[in-house]
Amino acid sequence: MYETSYTRATSIEEAARLAAEKGEEAKYLSGGMTLLPTMKQRLAAPEMLIDLRHVGELKGITVDGRAIRIGGGMTHAEIAQSDAIKAVCPGFTSLAGLIGDPAVRHMGTIGGSVANFDPAADYPAALLALGGTIHTDKREIAADDFFQGLFETALEEGEIVTAVSFEAPDACAYEKFRNPASRYAMCGVFVAKRAGGVKVGVTGAGSDGAFRWSEGEQALSGNFAPEAVDGLTVPEGNMLSDIHGSSAYRANLVKVVTKRAVKKAQGH
Amino acid sequence: MGVEGIGAKVLRKEDRRFITGRGRYVDDMSVPGMKYAAFVRSPHAHARITGIDKSAAEAMPGVIGVLDGKQLQGDGIGNLICGWAVSSKDGTPMKMGAYPALASEVVRYVGQPLAVVVAETRAQARDAADALAVEYEELPVVTKAVDALKDGAPQLHPEAPGNLIFDWELGDRSATDAAFAKAAHVTKIHIHNNRLVPNPMEPRAALGHYDMAEDHYTCWTTSQNPHVARLVMSAFYNVAPEHKLRVIAPDVGGGFGSKIYIYPEEIVCLWASKRTGVPVKWTSDRTEAFLTDAHGRDHETEVELALDADNKILGLKVETTANLGAYMSLFSSSVPTYLYATLLSGQYDIPAIHANVKAVYTNTVPVDAYRGAGRPEATFVVERTMETAARELGISPAELRRKNFIRSFPHQTPVIMAYDAGDFEACLNAGMEAADVAGFEGRRAEAKSRGKLRGLGMSCYIEACGIAPSKAVGSLGAGVGLWESAEVRVNPVGTIEILTGSHSHGQGHETTFSQLVAERFGLPVDNVQVIHGDTDKVQFGMGTYGSRSGAVGMSAIVKALDKVEAKAKKIAAHVLEADEGDIVIENGEVKVAGTDKKLGWHEVCLGAYTAHNLPDGMEPGLKEGAFYDPTNFTFPAGCYICEVEVDPETGTTEVVQFVAADDFGRVINPMIVEGQVHGGIAQGIGQALLEGTHYDDSGQLITASYMDYAMPRAWDLPMFKVSTTETLCPGNPLGMKGCGEAGAIGSPPAVINAITDAIGNNDLTMPATPEKVWKALNAVE
Ligand SMILES: Cc1cc2nc3c(=O)[nH]c(=O)nc-3n(C[C@H](O)[C@H](O)[C@H](O)COP(=O)(O)OP(=O)(O)OC[C@H]3O[C@@H](n4cnc5c(N)ncnc54)[C@H](O)[C@@H]3O)c2cc1C
């Protein structure tokens, strides 16, 4: 790790001001589960860390009927254990419980994960399928517009993810096929069914980060059953390829994992 | 004798400090004035160093010294050696390229050290190491052994034309050819044995301290054999004279072979301490561990097995290419030769065997012994081939093995080894019963109804431990003798210290060695202290690897205990005015058999030291030492049976049952033995399913972290069903064979045999990742 400095912010306003003063050389620190390993490997060298973990405004979960709002500072463990979310959207809490290991879940936050947009991160699949909204200190952005490409989001420099929100669907589920080494998603699929149709968010498999599988959505909107995707083919050209799985293999996983997610959702 | 003697499940004495985080490892050690080292490592797999400019690095804050390979050479520090001379079949000696601790002209693998920075803090050393300006001229790269042998391949060492270190053979080629000429059936397969990264929990570390006042050196290091480290560092590397060098290997957090070798870093820390005048500590980070700890395995093999019309084996032919990496590590030459081809007879009566092994340089991390060292590779060859042959012949794999088992002992194989004892059928039967092989087809059908493919695979391994008779290994080229030493010091109050040349890095020696004393004198294990890992305390020793601490290390302790017992009896007989032959020692008492005359153990011990009433001419004190040189290898063997379920949609393999039926000879502590087997099987399943080491074409290790290198986790493993049968080893006083590596040796072929059974395609390499299994399945559908 290179030498750095550390400041603990106590409000969103203070954090944003510090970031604006310091510019590019400053980085927000939430759970540190992505940022700190990157710094230890000397792949990132921010001069200043602005710690968001003690900003009260980023905390809290509110569930109002079927409207869910989760503060950007909530940890994966807090989300996984939220009875209020679970009561209306169990697919989301179960997803949070599948992230990393207990240490990662107790430190890592949804704000950090969404801002980082790792191509194999779990939340983006859910937020795309749920038609969620990402709230920042400046604006609100629809998930479809927020997630743009590998590690690329709509966030501008210094912009803080303050919360995410979504409406619980009629049925939903997340199925995760893990990378055997990292246990991140090699293919994770979140399906969400509403009266208006079905949405399918896929993470880990796409060469451009999480995406919505529109062919799958169409088929499942007509018939919300695993068999509905049987005849579909997933274009290999849009798939990631690495030592753990070729694009052909990942294309197969998209179908298989989607079917399993649908089956799980039917169980609820 | 007693609840803590041989055969008792005594809880491990050392675990209290390990589990509560109170172990004392090299990185926990500090010396006043200590500073920190960071190594400058090559970012290229093959390059010529055309210039080093130190000015920027030297000007960095906190820097005490920046030292490079030219200075190291200038100070007369010798190149690293390989301690086992293996000759090619044409008689020429192996072709060893120069291996300097710091490269000064050419770097040959990513991560090879070429300079060291010593600074006030770890971070400052690291920053300055990054600031060292090195100019490289990149050279072409080869990472696969088979490619390195091709015409036109990049050449690594001028000493080894064609990158060939040796072309070695064992066995009788013409007898084997003749056997094949008579064959009714020949089974041929290609075997890939995947390269593994050892990953001990504790990374390597070294603290070198040159004490100018005393003109004396101390090296704390993460070593499995501190005495060998001292010997090699003084005799070959000229770091310090042996009598002025103390090597301490305190608690060591796992080794698996990777901490046998003397690496550049400990040599450089000692040298740098003298050069800079400050004690110098280096601790590897996990990335450095991936890039520089000696890797394991990495063989490509063609194998052919000849059988007669009655399914009896006639002969075996093996052609192996072994990747030894960029330099020859300390024991690298012995692993694919004398620790590998000598075990190719397996548990079977094979009249003719011929093995040919080519050892090859590549632009990768040096490869050396890793848990099992050569025997896992041999077992994988033999047991994959047996299973394949049985399937081709349409007979049950168990039957083919039974038909060919060696049944009388001693048995001389055609590949050097003379097996002394065993009962292979007993292990097979125990394994098959525990695995309920008879009920397998029912379970397969039930799995099918759930959409899963169930398979069963077997592996009957034999391995050679108790390494090794000094004279025998000497005649095969070893540079050292492989005996062990022990000293038993009885204190005046009757408590006992055992000093051993074995080294515990997780094996539980403090407990099992104490149990020998509990057995012998009926003393509680808490009255025994086991001392190891310090060349100033223990006179000499060969360390721990090759499952030798029981069969060799404990045999030395037994010999020393014999002497202590004999002297104690003499003293007691004198005091009690009895015949020496009538004295018995039990439950901490020294008695005259058949009478009520007795002394407490502590009274005899005190008597030895007060010396008020000793037999005429007897020296005072009660302390005895012994050296033990084994007469033969020992031969643990067993039967492993694995059952898997494959998910055909994703190719995921779940190990649903794993049975190990082992014969380790005498078991001292069954709990510790089970633990060794569990760990070994976990590593074997790791090799079979998860652990893949990948270099890209430019020689970058792309699996250099746990993000990409898959280690087995608890959830990858089922509950193991382990049991032992016991045929005593006739070669050592306790009848022990060794259990440290068996799990890793026996399990990989059982797993792969199970998966190939499940999917109906025998063409599958390790690690059998979900994608590979999925592809293999699609290839037959
Ligand atoms: C071993 C391990 C396993 C993991 N497995 C998984 C997994 O299976 N699935 C998965 O999804 N993730 C996984 N992760 C990643 C984990 O979920 C991280 O916690 C998450 O990606 C980042 O969240 P964080 O709070 O730790 O962010 P940090 O590491 O603190 O920050 C990450 C980045 O986001 C920025 N940032 C942080 N908070 C905000 C904010 N509120 N607004 C704007 N920018 C911000 C930071 O400046 C930084 O650039 C794993 C991580 C580890 C170490």
Side-chain angles (χ1 to χ4, degrees), chain B residues 472-538:
Chain B
V473 295
S475 75
L476 300 177
V480 287
L482 291 173
W483 43 265
E484 196 45 82
S485 83
E487 194 178 306
V488 175
R489 289 186 192 160
V490 184
N491 296 318
V493 293
T495 55
I496 291 183
E497 279 136 39
I498 294 179
L499 291 85
T500 170
S502 303
H503 185 275
S504 182
H505 29 281
Q507 293 89 343
H509 293 173
E510 288 168 39
T511 307
T512 35
F513 291 9
S514 302
Q515 286 181 255
L516 292 186
V517 173
E519 174 78 17
R520 185 70 72 116
F521 303 132
L523 301 174
V525 293
D526 281 345
N527 284 14
V528 185
Q529 187 75 17
V530 175
I531 296 165
H532 67 93
D534 183 342
T535 60
D536 261 14
K537 292 182 179 165
V538 178

Side-chain angles (χ1 to χ4, degrees), chain A residues 28 30-35 76 100 108-109 115 121-122 161 176 183-184:
Chain A
Y28 296 123
S30 284
M33 291 293 95
T34 295
L35 184 55
H76 313 327
T109 65
D122 296 297
V161 175
K176 179 174 182 176
R183 259 63 167 175
Y184 271 82

Side-chain angles (χ1 to χ4, degrees), chain A residues 26-37 52 58 72-74 76 95 98-101 104-105 107-118 120-124 155 158-162 176 178 182-185, chain B residues 707 713:
Chain A
K27 274 261 182 205
Y28 296 123
L29 175 71
S30 284
M33 291 293 95
T34 295
L35 184 55
L36 295 182
L52 300 178
L58 296 175
M74 297 308 285
H76 313 327
L95 173 148
L98 293 172
I99 295 175
D101 50 48
V104 169
R105 291 198 288 277
M107 290 299 288
T109 65
I110 191 166
S113 177
V114 164
N116 189 54
F117 192 33
D118 188 292
D122 296 297
Y123 289 126
L155 284 179
E159 200 170 354
I160 298 172
V161 175
T162 53
K176 179 174 182 176
R178 288 179 164 93
S182 71
R183 259 63 167 175
Y184 271 82
Chain B
M707 290 299 283
R713 291 160 160 91

Side-chain angles (χ1 to χ4, degrees), chain A residues 42 183 244 246 249 252 260, chain B residues 127 130 649-650 715 771:
Chain A
R42 307 194 142 212
R183 259 63 167 175
H244 304 289
S246 60
Y249 181 63
N252 170 66
R260 292 180 183 183
Chain B
D127 284 348
D130 278 3
E649 290 183 329
T650 63
W715 85 347
E771 179 179 26

Side-chain angles (χ1 to χ4, degrees), chain B residues 70-155:
Chain B
K70 287 218 168 73
Q71 288 166 300
L72 182 99
Q73 264 179 331
D75 285 354
I77 303 296
N79 287 335
L80 277 71
I81 56 154
C82 176
W84 196 308
V86 171
S87 295
S88 285
K89 54 193 177 194
D90 66 6
T92 54
M94 62 188 186
K95 303 196 168 69
M96 192 164 28
Y99 183 4
L102 294 175
S104 59
E105 290 170 12
V106 178
V107 284
R108 295 182 176 86
Y109 67 93
V110 172
Q112 184 177 358
L114 55 108
V116 65
V117 175
V118 178
E120 293 290 336
T121 69
R122 235 177 255 259
Q124 286 173 333
R126 183 75 199 265
D127 284 348
D130 278 3
L132 187 78
V134 184
E135 271 177 52
Y136 298 95
E137 175 196 328
E138 285 187 58
L139 298 168
V141 169
V142 63
T143 62
K144 294 198 163 65
V146 173
D147 294 341
L149 288 175
K150 289 180 183 156
D151 284 346
Q155 298 293 299

